[in-house]
Amino acid sequence: MTVGGFPDRIITVNGIEYLYFGGTNYLGITTNPDFQNILFDSIKKWGTGFGSSRNSNIQLSIYETAEKLLAKNMDTEAALAVSSGMLAGKLVVEHLSSTTDAVFHFPDTHPALMNLSSLPIMEKGKLNPKVFDPTLTKITVVTDAIPSLYVEPIDLSVLFEIPKEKEIHLVIDESHSFGIYGNEWQKILEKENIKIIRIASLAKALGISGGVIAGNSDFISKIRSLNSFIGASGMNPAFLETYTNAQELYQSQKQKLKQNLDYLDQNFINREGFTFHPSYPLIYFESEAVSKKLLENKIITTSFKYPTSSGKLNRIVITSNHTTLDLEQLITQLN
Protein backbone atom coordinates (compact mmCIF):
# COMPACT_ATOMS: atom_id res chain seq x y z
CA MET A 1 0.00 0.00 0.00
CA THR A 2 1.25 3.45 -0.92
CA VAL A 3 -0.04 6.47 0.99
CA GLY A 4 0.43 10.19 0.48
CA GLY A 5 0.95 11.29 4.07
CA PHE A 6 2.40 10.16 7.38
CA PRO A 7 0.43 7.20 8.77
CA ASP A 8 -0.65 8.22 12.27
CA ARG A 9 -3.65 6.59 14.02
CA ILE A 10 -5.67 7.15 10.85
CA ILE A 11 -4.38 6.10 7.42
CA THR A 12 -6.06 6.86 4.08
CA VAL A 13 -5.74 4.32 1.27
CA ASN A 14 -7.41 4.98 -2.07
CA GLY A 15 -9.67 7.54 -0.41
CA ILE A 16 -10.78 5.15 2.34
CA GLU A 17 -9.93 5.77 6.00
CA TYR A 18 -8.56 2.95 8.15
CA LEU A 19 -7.38 2.76 11.73
CA TYR A 20 -3.62 2.26 11.70
CA PHE A 21 -1.95 0.00 14.25
CA GLY A 22 1.48 -0.27 12.67
CA GLY A 23 4.80 1.50 12.27
CA THR A 24 7.21 2.47 15.04
CA ASN A 25 5.83 5.86 16.10
CA TYR A 26 5.29 4.48 19.61
CA LEU A 27 4.97 7.84 21.38
CA GLY A 28 2.92 9.34 18.56
CA ILE A 29 5.39 12.18 18.56
CA THR A 30 6.05 12.80 14.87
CA THR A 31 2.63 14.34 14.20
CA ASN A 32 2.31 16.05 17.58
CA PRO A 33 1.84 19.81 16.97
CA ASP A 34 3.83 20.80 20.07
CA PHE A 35 6.70 18.55 19.00
CA GLN A 36 6.62 19.94 15.47
CA ASN A 37 6.78 23.50 16.83
CA ILE A 38 9.87 22.58 18.86
CA LEU A 39 11.39 21.14 15.68
CA PHE A 40 10.49 24.22 13.61
CA ASP A 41 12.16 26.50 16.16
CA SER A 42 15.23 24.23 16.17
CA ILE A 43 15.48 24.39 12.36
CA LYS A 44 15.37 28.18 12.50
CA LYS A 45 18.35 28.08 14.86
CA TRP A 46 20.46 25.29 13.32
CA GLY A 47 19.25 25.06 9.72
CA THR A 48 17.99 21.95 7.95
CA GLY A 49 21.28 20.05 8.06
CA PHE A 50 25.00 20.27 8.77
CA GLY A 51 27.08 18.32 6.26
CA SER A 52 30.40 18.65 8.05
CA SER A 53 32.65 16.24 9.92
CA ARG A 54 32.25 16.23 13.69
CA ASN A 55 36.03 16.68 13.87
CA SER A 56 35.98 19.92 11.89
CA ASN A 57 37.54 23.07 13.34
CA ILE A 58 33.99 24.49 13.75
CA GLN A 59 32.09 22.72 16.53
CA LEU A 60 28.38 23.11 17.23
CA SER A 61 27.54 23.36 20.93
CA ILE A 62 24.30 21.39 20.61
CA TYR A 63 26.24 18.16 20.08
CA GLU A 64 27.86 18.35 23.49
CA THR A 65 24.62 19.45 25.17
CA ALA A 66 22.51 16.70 23.63
CA GLU A 67 25.12 13.99 24.10
CA LYS A 68 25.39 14.75 27.82
CA LEU A 69 21.60 14.39 28.06
CA LEU A 70 21.64 11.16 26.02
CA ALA A 71 24.32 9.72 28.31
CA LYS A 72 22.25 10.66 31.35
CA ASN A 73 19.08 9.11 29.91
CA MET A 74 20.94 5.94 28.91
CA ASP A 75 22.71 5.76 32.27
CA THR A 76 26.23 5.78 30.83
CA GLU A 77 29.34 7.93 31.20
CA ALA A 78 29.25 9.25 27.65
CA ALA A 79 27.25 9.16 24.42
CA LEU A 80 27.87 9.95 20.78
CA ALA A 81 25.18 10.97 18.29
CA VAL A 82 25.44 9.73 14.70
CA SER A 83 23.26 10.03 11.62
CA SER A 84 21.38 6.73 12.04
CA GLY A 85 20.90 3.72 14.27
CA MET A 86 22.33 1.53 11.51
CA LEU A 87 25.54 3.59 11.46
CA ALA A 88 25.71 3.41 15.25
CA GLY A 89 25.71 -0.37 15.08
CA LYS A 90 28.17 -0.59 12.21
CA LEU A 91 30.67 1.76 13.90
CA VAL A 92 30.60 -0.22 17.14
CA VAL A 93 30.94 -3.60 15.44
CA GLU A 94 33.69 -2.28 13.15
CA HIS A 95 35.72 -1.20 16.16
CA LEU A 96 35.11 -4.28 18.30
CA SER A 97 35.74 -6.69 15.43
CA SER A 98 39.33 -5.42 15.29
CA THR A 99 39.94 -5.03 19.03
CA THR A 100 38.38 -8.23 20.43
CA ASP A 101 39.10 -11.86 19.55
CA ALA A 102 35.63 -12.87 18.34
CA VAL A 103 32.08 -11.59 17.89
CA PHE A 104 29.05 -13.65 18.97
CA HIS A 105 25.40 -12.83 18.39
CA PHE A 106 22.16 -13.79 20.10
CA PRO A 107 19.26 -15.06 17.96
CA ASP A 108 17.22 -12.46 16.05
CA THR A 109 19.86 -9.74 16.41
CA HIS A 110 19.29 -6.75 14.14
CA PRO A 111 21.40 -6.61 10.94
CA ALA A 112 23.02 -3.38 12.20
CA LEU A 113 25.05 -5.48 14.65
CA MET A 114 25.87 -8.39 12.36
CA ASN A 115 28.95 -9.07 10.27
CA LEU A 116 30.15 -12.02 8.22
CA SER A 117 32.51 -13.34 10.92
CA SER A 118 29.93 -13.22 13.73
CA LEU A 119 29.17 -16.55 15.42
CA PRO A 120 25.91 -17.66 17.09
CA ILE A 121 26.35 -17.57 20.85
CA MET A 122 23.85 -20.39 21.34
CA GLU A 123 24.00 -23.87 19.81
CA LYS A 124 21.33 -26.47 20.58
CA GLY A 125 20.17 -24.49 23.58
CA LYS A 126 23.62 -24.14 25.11
CA LEU A 127 26.52 -21.70 24.85
CA ASN A 128 28.63 -22.13 21.75
CA PRO A 129 31.71 -24.19 22.79
CA LYS A 130 33.91 -21.63 21.04
CA VAL A 131 33.01 -19.16 23.80
CA PHE A 132 35.15 -21.24 26.15
CA ASP A 133 38.20 -21.28 23.83
CA PRO A 134 41.08 -20.18 26.13
CA THR A 135 42.72 -18.28 23.28
CA LEU A 136 39.72 -15.92 23.14
CA THR A 137 40.39 -13.60 26.06
CA LYS A 138 38.27 -10.71 24.80
CA ILE A 139 34.93 -11.32 23.12
CA THR A 140 32.08 -9.19 21.81
CA VAL A 141 28.47 -10.24 22.28
CA VAL A 142 25.71 -8.43 20.36
CA THR A 143 21.96 -8.54 20.89
CA ASP A 144 18.73 -6.58 20.67
CA ALA A 145 17.30 -5.45 23.99
CA ILE A 146 13.86 -6.61 22.86
CA PRO A 147 14.22 -8.61 19.62
CA SER A 148 11.49 -9.02 17.04
CA LEU A 149 8.71 -11.36 18.25
CA TYR A 150 9.68 -10.56 21.87
CA VAL A 151 7.61 -8.33 24.18
CA GLU A 152 10.02 -8.43 27.12
CA PRO A 153 13.79 -7.91 27.36
CA ILE A 154 15.90 -10.82 26.22
CA ASP A 155 17.29 -13.06 28.97
CA LEU A 156 21.06 -12.58 29.01
CA SER A 157 21.78 -14.48 32.23
CA VAL A 158 23.49 -17.20 30.20
CA LEU A 159 26.46 -14.82 29.98
CA PHE A 160 27.21 -15.56 33.63
CA GLU A 161 28.26 -19.05 32.54
CA ILE A 162 31.21 -17.56 30.65
CA PRO A 163 34.44 -17.68 32.69
CA LYS A 164 35.00 -14.42 34.57
CA GLU A 165 38.55 -14.28 33.21
CA LYS A 166 37.15 -13.34 29.79
CA GLU A 167 36.47 -9.69 29.03
CA ILE A 168 33.03 -9.31 27.47
CA HIS A 169 31.93 -6.31 25.45
CA LEU A 170 28.13 -6.57 25.43
CA VAL A 171 26.47 -4.47 22.74
CA ILE A 172 22.72 -3.96 23.27
CA ASP A 173 20.53 -2.46 20.54
CA GLU A 174 17.76 -0.48 22.25
CA SER A 175 16.18 0.94 19.08
CA HIS A 176 12.72 -0.46 19.88
CA SER A 177 12.86 0.21 23.60
CA PHE A 178 14.69 3.53 24.14
CA GLY A 179 12.16 6.15 25.20
CA ILE A 180 9.44 3.68 26.16
CA TYR A 181 11.15 0.98 28.22
CA GLY A 182 13.76 1.48 30.94
CA ASN A 183 17.07 -0.36 31.10
CA GLU A 184 16.86 -1.30 34.79
CA TRP A 185 16.78 -4.95 33.74
CA GLN A 186 20.40 -4.56 32.59
CA LYS A 187 21.66 -3.78 36.09
CA ILE A 188 22.33 -7.45 36.86
CA LEU A 189 24.66 -7.56 33.85
CA GLU A 190 27.00 -4.93 35.26
CA LYS A 191 29.79 -7.28 36.29
CA GLU A 192 33.49 -6.49 36.43
CA ASN A 193 34.21 -8.48 33.27
CA ILE A 194 31.16 -7.21 31.30
CA LYS A 195 31.35 -3.82 29.60
CA ILE A 196 27.98 -2.69 28.28
CA ILE A 197 27.69 -0.57 25.13
CA ARG A 198 24.23 0.65 24.19
CA ILE A 199 23.16 1.76 20.74
CA ALA A 200 19.79 2.95 19.47
CA SER A 201 17.98 4.49 16.58
CA LEU A 202 16.31 7.74 17.59
CA ALA A 203 13.81 7.47 14.73
CA LYS A 204 11.40 5.15 16.53
CA ALA A 205 9.77 6.36 19.74
CA LEU A 206 11.69 9.65 19.76
CA GLY A 207 10.71 10.67 16.23
CA ILE A 208 14.02 12.15 15.08
CA SER A 209 16.38 10.84 12.41
CA GLY A 210 19.64 9.77 14.01
CA GLY A 211 21.34 7.23 16.22
CA VAL A 212 23.30 7.07 19.45
CA ILE A 213 26.18 5.08 20.90
CA ALA A 214 26.50 5.09 24.69
CA GLY A 215 29.15 3.60 26.95
CA ASN A 216 32.14 4.51 29.06
CA SER A 217 34.15 7.60 28.13
CA ASP A 218 37.16 5.64 26.90
CA PHE A 219 35.07 3.57 24.48
CA ILE A 220 33.23 6.62 23.09
CA SER A 221 36.58 8.37 22.59
CA LYS A 222 37.79 5.45 20.49
CA ILE A 223 34.68 5.53 18.31
CA ARG A 224 35.27 9.26 17.77
CA SER A 225 38.69 8.46 16.31
CA LEU A 226 37.42 5.97 13.70
CA ASN A 227 37.85 7.07 10.11
CA SER A 228 34.23 6.05 9.44
CA PHE A 229 33.08 8.52 12.07
CA ILE A 230 35.46 11.32 11.12
CA GLY A 231 34.53 11.03 7.44
CA ALA A 232 30.77 11.11 8.04
CA SER A 233 28.50 14.09 8.47
CA GLY A 234 27.13 14.53 11.96
CA MET A 235 23.54 14.00 13.01
CA ASN A 236 21.22 16.86 12.10
CA PRO A 237 21.79 19.44 14.89
CA ALA A 238 18.16 20.65 14.69
CA PHE A 239 17.01 17.16 15.66
CA LEU A 240 19.35 17.12 18.65
CA GLU A 241 18.04 20.52 19.77
CA THR A 242 14.53 19.12 19.41
CA TYR A 243 15.41 16.09 21.52
CA THR A 244 16.86 18.34 24.22
CA ASN A 245 13.82 20.62 24.37
CA ALA A 246 11.14 17.94 24.09
CA GLN A 247 11.87 16.02 27.29
CA GLU A 248 8.65 16.99 29.07
CA LEU A 249 6.62 16.19 25.98
CA TYR A 250 8.26 12.77 25.67
CA GLN A 251 7.27 12.04 29.27
CA SER A 252 3.66 13.13 28.82
CA GLN A 253 3.34 11.02 25.65
CA LYS A 254 4.89 8.07 27.48
CA GLN A 255 2.21 8.39 30.16
CA LYS A 256 -0.51 8.37 27.50
CA LEU A 257 1.01 5.20 26.04
CA LYS A 258 0.97 3.57 29.47
CA GLN A 259 -2.71 4.43 29.87
CA ASN A 260 -3.47 2.86 26.49
CA LEU A 261 -1.56 -0.30 27.39
CA ASP A 262 -3.34 -0.52 30.75
CA TYR A 263 -6.70 -0.25 28.99
CA LEU A 264 -5.68 -2.93 26.51
CA ASP A 265 -4.50 -5.21 29.29
CA GLN A 266 -7.83 -4.91 31.10
CA ASN A 267 -10.01 -5.53 28.05
CA PHE A 268 -8.01 -7.75 25.68
CA ILE A 269 -9.39 -11.10 26.90
CA ASN A 270 -8.91 -13.68 24.16
CA ARG A 271 -5.11 -13.73 23.80
CA GLU A 272 -4.70 -17.20 22.34
CA GLY A 273 -2.49 -16.93 19.27
CA PHE A 274 -1.16 -13.53 20.34
CA THR A 275 2.00 -12.45 22.17
CA PHE A 276 1.44 -9.41 24.36
CA HIS A 277 2.81 -7.84 27.54
CA PRO A 278 1.23 -4.71 29.07
CA SER A 279 4.58 -2.96 29.42
CA TYR A 280 5.36 -3.04 25.68
CA PRO A 281 3.29 -1.58 22.80
CA LEU A 282 3.48 -4.52 20.38
CA ILE A 283 1.20 -7.50 19.87
CA TYR A 284 2.61 -10.28 17.68
CA PHE A 285 0.63 -12.95 15.86
CA GLU A 286 1.33 -15.55 13.18
CA SER A 287 -2.03 -16.12 11.51
CA GLU A 288 -2.50 -14.27 8.23
CA ALA A 289 -6.24 -14.62 8.86
CA VAL A 290 -5.92 -12.06 11.65
CA SER A 291 -4.52 -9.43 9.28
CA LYS A 292 -7.24 -10.22 6.75
CA LYS A 293 -10.04 -9.97 9.33
CA LEU A 294 -8.72 -6.68 10.68
CA LEU A 295 -8.36 -5.24 7.18
CA GLU A 296 -11.95 -6.20 6.38
CA ASN A 297 -12.93 -4.17 9.45
CA LYS A 298 -10.90 -1.16 8.35
CA ILE A 299 -7.88 -1.79 10.60
CA ILE A 300 -4.36 -1.97 9.13
CA THR A 301 -1.44 -3.56 11.00
CA THR A 302 2.22 -4.17 10.16
CA SER A 303 3.08 -7.17 7.97
CA PHE A 304 6.32 -7.67 6.05
CA LYS A 305 9.25 -10.04 5.58
CA TYR A 306 11.84 -9.21 8.24
CA PRO A 307 15.54 -10.22 7.96
CA THR A 308 15.56 -12.13 11.26
CA SER A 309 12.16 -13.79 10.84
CA SER A 310 11.50 -17.04 8.99
CA GLY A 311 8.11 -15.85 7.79
CA LYS A 312 6.23 -12.57 7.70
CA LEU A 313 6.52 -10.30 10.70
CA ASN A 314 2.94 -9.59 11.80
CA ARG A 315 2.39 -7.14 14.62
CA ILE A 316 -0.11 -4.71 16.05
CA VAL A 317 1.41 -1.46 17.31
CA ILE A 318 -0.19 0.65 20.01
CA THR A 319 0.80 4.32 20.16
CA SER A 320 0.15 7.25 22.47
CA ASN A 321 -2.16 8.76 19.86
CA HIS A 322 -4.70 5.93 19.78
CA THR A 323 -7.98 6.88 21.41
CA THR A 324 -10.11 4.70 23.68
CA LEU A 325 -12.55 4.29 20.80
CA ASP A 326 -9.70 3.12 18.54
CA LEU A 327 -8.70 0.52 21.13
CA GLU A 328 -12.30 -0.60 21.58
CA GLN A 329 -12.63 -1.26 17.85
CA LEU A 330 -9.37 -3.22 17.83
CA ILE A 331 -10.24 -5.25 20.94
CA THR A 332 -13.69 -6.09 19.57
CA GLN A 333 -12.05 -7.81 16.60
CA LEU A 334 -9.29 -9.51 18.60
CA ASN A 335 -11.70 -10.87 21.20
Side-chain angles (χ1 to χ4, degrees):
M1 298 180 184
T2 301
V3 298
F6 186 87
D8 194 10
R9 51 171 287 273
I10 298 293
I11 186 172
T12 303
V13 181
N14 297 326
I16 301 173
E17 283 193 350
Y18 296 79
L19 282 177
Y20 185 54
F21 286 90
T24 59
N25 187 31
Y26 306 125
L27 294 181
I29 204 79
T30 55
T31 56
N32 184 289
D34 293 331
F35 184 78
Q36 291 179 345
N37 286 333
I38 294 172
L39 174 60
F40 297 155
D41 288 340
S42 300
I43 289 174
K44 291 174 184 177
K45 180 177 180 180
W46 296 107
T48 58
F50 187 64
S52 179
S53 169
R54 287 287 306 277
N55 285 30
S56 171
N57 59 313
I58 297 298
Q59 298 288 309
L60 304 187
S61 60
I62 186 57
Y63 286 113
E64 181 179 359
T65 300
E67 286 166 350
K68 284 182 178 178
L69 181 58
L70 284 163
K72 177 184 176 182
N73 289 343
M74 300 188 85
D75 196 22
T76 58
E77 286 183 1
L80 189 64
V82 294
S83 58
S84 72
M86 180 66 77
L87 180 60
K90 293 302 182 185
L91 287 172
V92 169
V93 173
E94 173 190 333
H95 172 66
L96 291 176
S97 294
S98 62
T99 56
T100 60
D101 301 320
V103 178
F104 296 88
H105 60 268
F106 272 85
D108 302 315
T109 296
H110 192 277
L113 293 178
M114 301 293 287
N115 66 14
L116 294 176
S117 62
S118 181
L119 302 169
I121 195 166
M122 304 299 294
E123 285 192 350
K124 299 179 180 179
K126 296 183 178 181
L127 279 172
N128 189 328
K130 293 183 180 178
V131 170
F132 300 98
D133 185 337
T135 65
L136 305 180
T137 60
K138 295 181 179 181
I139 65 171
T140 295
V141 178
V142 299
T143 183
D144 284 19
I146 305 180
S148 296
L149 303 180
Y150 286 56
V151 292
E152 294 182 88
I154 189 170
D155 182 4
L156 300 175
S157 60
V158 69
L159 297 179
F160 299 148
E161 298 176 21
I162 299 175
K164 295 180 180 179
E165 293 74 28
K166 289 185 185 291
E167 184 178 296
I168 303 172
H169 289 78
L170 175 60
V171 185
I172 303 177
D173 186 339
E174 300 183 359
S175 295
H176 289 276
S177 57
F178 185 41
I180 57 174
Y181 202 105
N183 53 26
E184 294 81 7
W185 63 278
Q186 298 175 23
K187 295 296 183 183
I188 63 168
L189 301 169
E190 294 176 349
K191 304 294 183 181
E192 189 173 336
N193 66 318
I194 300 178
K195 299 181 179 180
I196 300 178
I197 299 106
R198 300 182 173 98
I199 71 158
S201 166
L202 303 178
K204 313 296 184 186
L206 301 179
I208 51 177
S209 296
V212 61
I213 303 166
N216 65 53
S217 299
D218 180 61
F219 182 83
I220 296 301
S221 178
K222 289 175 180 175
I223 297 297
R224 277 184 173 275
S225 67
L226 292 177
N227 289 337
S228 299
F229 176 78
I230 297 172
S233 297
M235 181 179 165
N236 189 324
F239 286 145
L240 287 172
E241 176 95 351
T242 301
Y243 172 75
T244 302
N245 293 336
Q247 292 299 301
E248 289 186 9
L249 188 55
Y250 283 136
Q251 289 304 312
S252 64
Q253 290 296 104
K254 185 177 179 179
Q255 184 59 35
K256 290 179 182 178
L257 179 60
K258 183 180 183 305
Q259 291 170 356
N260 280 347
L261 293 177
D262 287 345
Y263 182 87
L264 192 65
D265 187 39
Q266 294 165 12
N267 296 278
F268 180 21
I269 308 302
N270 181 19
R271 300 185 188 182
E272 185 178 353
F274 298 95
T275 303
F276 169 68
H277 191 281
S279 65
Y280 197 60
L282 300 182
I283 304 173
Y284 288 100
F285 59 93
E286 292 186 6
S287 174
E288 292 290 329
V290 174
S291 295
K292 183 178 179 181
K293 176 180 173 61
L294 291 174
L295 185 61
E296 289 172 351
N297 287 276
K298 302 244 176 7
I299 296 174
I300 293 178
T301 60
T302 289
S303 179
F304 67 104
K305 180 68 179 70
Y306 197 70
T308 60
S309 175
S310 57
K312 273 191 174 182
L313 182 69
N314 298 305
R315 66 187 180 201
I316 297 164
V317 181
I318 312 301
T319 76
S320 304
N321 287 351
H322 285 120
T323 67
T324 300
L325 182 59
D326 296 340
L327 297 176
E328 287 177 355
Q329 292 185 56
L330 173 67
I331 291 168
T332 297
Q333 301 306 318
L334 297 185
N335 283 342

